Structures are given as C-alpha cells and as structure tokens.
Amino acid sequence: MTEILLPDDFVLGVATSAYQVEGAAHEDGKGASIWDVFTRTPGKTIGDVPGDAGVDHYHRLTEDIGHMRRLGVDSYRFSLSWPRLLPNGTGTPNQAGIDFYDRLIDQTLAAGIRPHVTLYHWDLPHALQERGGWPNRDVIGWFEDYARLAFDRFGDRVTQWTTLNEPIALWMGYGMGVFAPGEADPVRGKQAMHNAMVAHGRAVQAYRESGCRGDIGIVVDVWRRHPATGSRADRDLALAEEDDSFRFFFDELFGGGWSARLQQRLDATGLTPMVEDGDFATARAPLDFIGLNVYSRIVVRATDPRTPWWTSENADRLPGGNYLSGGREFYPAALSDALAVLRDEYGVTTPVYITENGVSGPDETPGVDGRVHDADRITYLSGFLAEAEAAARRGLGVKGFYAWSLLDNYEWAAAYTEKFGLLHVDLETMQRTWKDSADWYARVCHERRFAFDHPEILGPTSGLPIGRM
Ligand code: BGC
C-alpha cells in the first residue's frame, strides 16, 4: 500500500454548476436560460425530464455549505447563472440574483472556504439566444459586460475566476444539437467556438482593468484520443478528434491561431470561422491559471461505429485496461497526458488546477443501512488525486484538485440518470445523504493523506498508441 501525502498548499475542492444544482429556475426575477428551454423541449433529454429544480441548491445554500465545511474542502467551485444576474442577458441587473450570490460568497468565505467562480457554465440567457446566441459576434460584447458586472459586484471577495467552462459544449449545442440550444449547424458551431475565445480574452482584459486582485483563467476538458490499433486511419482519426476538441481552443489561447494542420482541415470542410483583426491576440490574453477537467481517455477506431465521445464511455476495451464494475475505464494517466499537451506541445508552464474529476455511478440509492457504498468512486478519485499529487511533485505546476461533484445533480441531456455526487440527493425530498466517497474525501481533506494501492498505473503515457495498464 502506498501512502500519498498532499502538500499543505495543495487546494482540495468540490465543484458544481448553476444550472445543474440551483433550481429556482423561474424565481426571484431570474430569466430563462437556453437550458431551461432545451430541457422542456420534447426529445432532448433522457425521459424528457427538465432541470428546473436542479437539486434545490438555491434554497439549501446554508445546508450545502455546511456539508462542505464538514468535508473540510479548501475551495468551492461554482458558476454564476448569467440569466439570474441579467434576465435579458444585457441591461438592468436583477438585484435578487446579486443578493443570492452575495449570500453564497459570504457564507462560503465565512465557512473558511475559498470561492472559485465560473462566469459561464453553459447557461446562456435565452434572450440572447433569440438574438443569435454564441454564433453572433455581438456575444463578445454581451459577455464582456456581464463579466464586468460580476467583477464589479463580487470581485472584492472572489479571488479566483474562470471565464468559460469547457467551451467544447458550444460545439455540442450549436454544431451537433445534442446540448442547448439544440442547433445542428457545423458552421455556426465553429463560429460559436471562436467567438467564445475572443469573449474569454475580452473578459480577461476587463478583469485586469477592473482593479480587482485575484487570478483568472479558463477551464478546458482534455480527453486524449488513443488509436485502437497502430493503423494510419486510427492514428489520423485520433489526431483529428483532438484537434477538433481541445486543440481548437489551446491553439487560440496559447498559439495565436490554429495550427496549419487544423486550419487546413477547417478550410477543407468549409468550417473556418470568420475571424477579425486582433481576435487571436485578444484570445491569447495571459492567464493566471489553466483549469483542466480530466475524466478519462477515448479509444478511437476508424472502422467501427462507437459510442459518441461525450458519454465518456469507450466502446473499445484495450487489453490490459482497468475497468470499474459499472463498465467505465479507470485511467488516471489521463491527467498527466493532459498536462503533457500543455507543457510539451504549447510550452505552457502556467499553474494548473484539475477543476473537475469524478465518475458517475449506476443506481446509487441508499441501501437498508441508509448508506451508499460507492467504492468505485473512491477508487477513481484516489487514482486521479494520486496522479495529480505525483504531477505536482514532478514540478508540473498542479496546484489543486476539485471533485466533480459535491452533489448528485442534473447531468444535462442525461437529466438525473448519471450520479456524480459525493452526496446522494433524494429527488423527492431533496434530502442529502453522505456516500462512502464523501467520508473518504473528508478524511483526505482533514488528514491530507490517503492510500492508493496501485502506484504502477500512475504516470504519463503520452504518445503511447495503446493502453499499457
Ligand atoms: C461538465 C459538468 C458535467 C461533468 C460530468 C463536465 O463535462 O463540466 O457540467 O456534469 O462533466 O459529465
């Protein structure tokens, strides 16, 4: 058994997002978001279950912060609902929305927990969608104004900001139609992705001008693709999928524009977004940290139809891989592989937070003992946390780790069918129950040490064509 020790300044946190947990979708002056509309559209979510109620975090704020205090986390990563603050997306702020986030921030700080605030976790005001949404270049100004409002109202107390969470969600929402707002138009999808990079850069500039003192960054999810075989077709597919997902953003954030390889493919497919002078310079605004959401890798095989990548399930199993009882692959090396992209490809040495990691379980209803025994989640989190600690020790700039998620919550198009929480939530009563993983995480937070039994599966595997576990 190996004991992992976490340095005192290594940040341990939990993460949520506004639409997934808050509920109160139509209360206290909040405007509709694109997710409010999408999840009420038949055929868009599993079972046609809308997310209006979230898991009632809006009304259970004090209780939920109490849980976090008991867990002993250093930081709470949550997002602001843009339409709760600006019901029409622009214009007059909603005072009740500002009051809610004031309470959330003040109570979090009073519990000794540092707020890490995300400006955008996918819930665009519906009013702005009606004006064209993210593919409309005007979004750059809308987002900048919204960011300025947030810095102005909360920047005196919030010292860690993320502009966007996982901008690839824009491709799923505008390019594929599987997320809100449900448009399946690749041209508009790529345009939304580029506009978001410029909007991000403008928000960073606005933060620098605001006089607030703190750190600002962005969160990108990195799912490295591993070709199932050594064939040329599999390797090309792996590269293309990586380019289309995280490298599209990293090229803009760190490279000053897309690589010749990506640009060529965008041109060949007629998907090159409209770019104005200065866009790439804006998108490249220096950052204080990078957030990486790391869940696993994806095995790709050009000849086989496979499970779409956003389900985080590999249709292909590689010999020697580790799989949880629920079928998910357990591949902590994904974390080091993601770091390697930043370091080795882009030469980026900016501090990194692992802003999300976790795993969804099958049916996790409390048993007769009233408990949820989620041993797989403990294995999963301990593997990735061990990997994060090892990377920190190797000097790779990893400053912290946020478990996704504090609570079972509304998992987007999967509605409530995927449970990622450390705490179980009864959807009838909204009662919270600690799972075994919550007890485990609390011990880690308090003792800053934990055991991980499989050190042999840690470490970078970047460049390896197939799994080696
Ligand atoms: C998102 C979360 C989501 C989680 C689990 C991430 O892609 O940021 O909102 O719940 O993954 O699927």
Side-chain angles (χ1 to χ4, degrees):
M1 185 174 74
T2 311
E3 188 169 54
I4 315 280
L5 300 178
L6 296 167
D8 283 343
D9 58 356
F10 189 89
V11 174
L12 287 168
V14 283
T16 64
S17 86
Y19 185 73
Q20 294 179 274
V21 298
E22 281 182 8
H26 310 290
E27 276 178 54
D28 296 341
K30 177 181 164 293
S33 79
I34 52 174
W35 275 94
D36 289 315
V37 174
F38 184 76
T39 69
R40 289 229 160 246
T41 308
K44 298 300 185 190
T45 65
I46 293 183
D48 279 342
V49 176
D52 316 14
V55 284
D56 206 28
H57 190 53
Y58 188 81
H59 297 117
R60 287 163 197 262
L61 192 61
T62 306
E63 179 192 343
D64 288 342
I65 292 170
H67 287 298
M68 284 186 267
R69 188 207 283 268
R70 245 180 91 195
L71 284 168
V73 295
D74 303 308
S75 180
Y76 177 34
R77 175 176 178 253
F78 59 90
S79 73
L80 306 178
S81 158
W82 184 348
R84 193 178 293 290
L85 289 168
L86 290 165
N88 294 313
T90 57
T92 313
N94 172 31
Q95 188 56 44
I98 292 171
D99 293 346
F100 169 68
Y101 291 115
D102 274 336
R103 288 199 298 282
L104 174 49
I105 291 163
D106 289 345
Q107 291 185 31
T108 302
L109 286 167
I113 298 167
R114 182 169 154 208
H116 174 164
V117 172
T118 301
L119 290 172
Y120 187 75
H121 199 129
W122 308 356
D123 48 353
L124 185 77
H126 178 65
L128 296 183
Q129 177 58 23
E130 295 204 306
R131 294 163 71 184
W134 281 99
N136 178 351
R137 214 184 143 85
D138 290 348
V139 76
I140 297 165
W142 301 334
F143 186 69
E144 181 184 341
D145 290 347
Y146 160 55
R148 283 186 193 279
L149 170 74
F151 302 148
D152 180 46
R153 298 307 171 104
F154 311 122
D156 55 336
R157 288 152 293 156
V158 173
T159 54
Q160 193 168 20
W161 294 90
T162 284
T163 54
L164 307 172
N165 176 75
E166 297 193 3
I168 194 64
L170 295 168
W171 175 248
M172 294 158 77
Y174 289 95
M176 301 177 70
V178 294
F179 273 8
E183 293 186 19
D185 179 338
V187 172
R188 282 174 59 78
K190 294 290 187 213
Q191 190 65 52
M193 287 162 65
H194 171 65
N195 291 350
M197 289 298 93
V198 185
H200 150 84
R202 287 268 286 271
V204 173
Q205 283 167 5
Y207 189 64
R208 304 296 180 214
E209 290 160 16
S210 71
C212 299
R213 293 236 299 264
D215 291 342
I216 190 160
I218 189 169
V219 168
V220 177
D221 54 322
V222 174
W223 295 80
R224 298 234 48 194
R225 271 46 170 195
H226 287 207
T229 71
S231 77
R232 180 71 195 263
D234 284 358
R235 282 192 313 213
D236 285 352
L237 178 63
L239 198 60
E241 287 201 6
E242 290 190 341
D243 283 354
D244 286 344
S245 53
F246 53 83
R247 282 199 198 91
F248 182 100
F249 304 116
F250 287 162
D251 283 0
E252 290 212 49
L253 294 168
F254 311 121
W258 301 299
S259 70
R261 185 179 67 221
L262 178 51
Q263 182 70 67
Q264 207 173 34
R265 237 159 30 78
L266 287 168
D267 288 344
T269 47
L271 296 180
T272 302
M274 307 260 284
V275 175
E276 289 193 4
D277 279 356
D279 277 4
F280 289 136
T282 303
R284 202 181 187 176
L287 303 176
D288 302 308
F289 71 91
I290 321 280
L292 292 179
N293 289 355
V294 184
Y295 285 88
S296 195
R297 66 171 169 178
I298 293 166
V299 178
V300 297
R301 184 188 292 272
T303 52
D304 275 354
R306 61 189 177 81
T307 315
W309 55 266
W310 65 89
T311 63
S312 65
E313 199 81 66
N314 281 326
D316 251 316
R317 291 193 169 205
L318 293 184
N322 285 310
Y323 296 89
L324 303 177
S325 49
R328 299 261 150 140
E329 184 174 12
F330 171 50
Y331 189 70
L335 192 152
S336 292
D337 290 355
L339 286 171
V341 175
L342 287 179
R343 290 257 162 179
D344 303 344
E345 290 186 32
Y346 294 91
V348 171
T349 53
T350 312
V352 168
Y353 290 86
I354 304 305
T355 33
E356 284 180 32
N357 172 256
V359 67
S360 72
D363 182 23
E364 292 188 337
T365 315
V368 276
D369 59 354
R371 305 276 322 183
V372 175
H373 301 296
D374 54 341
D376 275 354
R377 182 166 294 107
I378 296 175
T379 303
Y380 208 88
L381 289 168
S382 58
F384 278 84
L385 189 51
E387 185 81 27
E389 186 277 333
R393 212 165 358 93
R394 290 202 306 275
L396 297 181
V398 179
K399 303 290 181 202
F401 178 95
Y402 290 81
W404 183 270
S405 179
L406 172 66
L407 302 162
D408 286 347
N409 57 44
Y410 188 82
E411 180 56 27
W412 308 112
Y416 294 102
T417 62
E418 301 269 346
K419 316 278 187 189
F420 279 86
L422 298 173
L423 275 66
H424 171 266
V425 177
D426 180 316
L427 293 173
E428 295 296 315
T429 62
M430 293 291 177
Q431 190 188 330
R432 280 79 165 122
T433 304
W434 280 43
K435 302 181 190 175
D436 286 353
S437 58
D439 288 328
W440 172 81
Y441 202 52
R443 273 199 308 282
V444 175
C445 291
H446 286 105
E447 297 171 7
R448 308 199 69 83
R449 66 176 64 209
F450 62 100
F452 183 64
D453 292 341
H454 302 288
E456 74 282 0
I457 70 168
L458 303 179
T461 62
S462 189
L464 261 195
I466 56 171
R468 55 153 198 163
M469 292 186 291

